[in-house]
Amino acid sequence: MYIIIGFFIAHWYLSLFFQTFFLHRYAAHKAFTMSKTTEKVFFVLTWIFQGSNYLSAYGYGVMHRMHHAFADTPDDPHSPTYDESIWKMMWKTKTIYSAIANKTMKVEERFTKGVPEWQAFDKFARSIVSRISWGALYVLIYWQFATLWWLWLLLPVQFFLSPIHGAIINWFAHKYGYVNFPVKDTSKNFLPVDFLMMGESYHNNHHKHGSRANFGGIRWHEIDPTYYVILLLDKIGVIQLAKKKEVSLGAAKRAA
Ligand SMILES: [Zn+2]
Ligand SMILES: [Zn+2]
């Protein structure tokens, strides 16, 4: 039982880490830079840890920039103000994301400029062969270690982790929570202490200061675990924090 629960928890946080660190803060917002070689390593790590849920940095990055530009307007790729249910929003998000990743949708240059892309790798990592192979590995692990029937209920969640992580923020953090900064959109800080979403929950802070590497830090309890990993990776030279973009705690508080 503990092996499956451990596997589920590890997959939840690791796949989420690569979403928030690589796809969101790096690909979409350029909160820090890295060499092209390091970038390729992170593409591969994202594939390993997102597995059957692998998301293209290009598809995610471009769509997410559109979300910030059009937040809670009819052009927003996902918004609880315009999408009637979380399911409809998830389906629309998937459709737009696929169209961007497959280049069947024309998008403005400001949304694509500088978004990292590795077409050959994306093609492989998004292929049905890759997705089914990862899925089969998950089933095998459950087959071996799921000693209680209800543990199998966790398996479909693992198949769809990336869309689930996306929907938690895109739906709930645009509906419920508190606001540090009055902004034009409906973004909220969903969890006062983000133990679940690795800092993504401080969504109102993030909508106010999009390219800030630290999503938390405005109130004392807003601890953003991903930011500490970013600081560490910056210290050991894996990435370079774009410090000029970083808003100091004092400045952000004054703006609040
Ligand atoms: Zn948002
Ligand atoms: Zn963002």
Side-chain angles (χ1 to χ4, degrees), residues 24 29 64 68 206 210 215:
H24 190 187
H29 290 295
H64 186 69
H68 277 268
H206 173 59
F215 286 6

Side-chain angles (χ1 to χ4, degrees), residues 11-23:
H11 195 198
W12 176 279
Y13 286 105
L14 284 164
S15 97
L16 179 59
F17 173 76
F18 286 93
Q19 182 166 329
T20 182
F21 170 83
F22 187 58
L23 307 180

Side-chain angles (χ1 to χ4, degrees), residues 64 67 78 169-170 174 187 203 207:
H64 186 69
H67 168 61
H78 42 74
I169 298 305
N170 298 335
H174 273 267
S187 62
H203 202 55
H207 266 264

Side-chain angles (χ1 to χ4, degrees), residues 15 34 66 79 84 89 94 121 136 167 191 195 231 237 244:
S15 97
M34 63 178 78
M66 291 168 69
S79 165
E84 294 138 51
M89 182 191 75
K94 178 212 164 293
F121 186 76
L191 298 171
F195 61 95
L231 286 182
K244 56 188 182 302

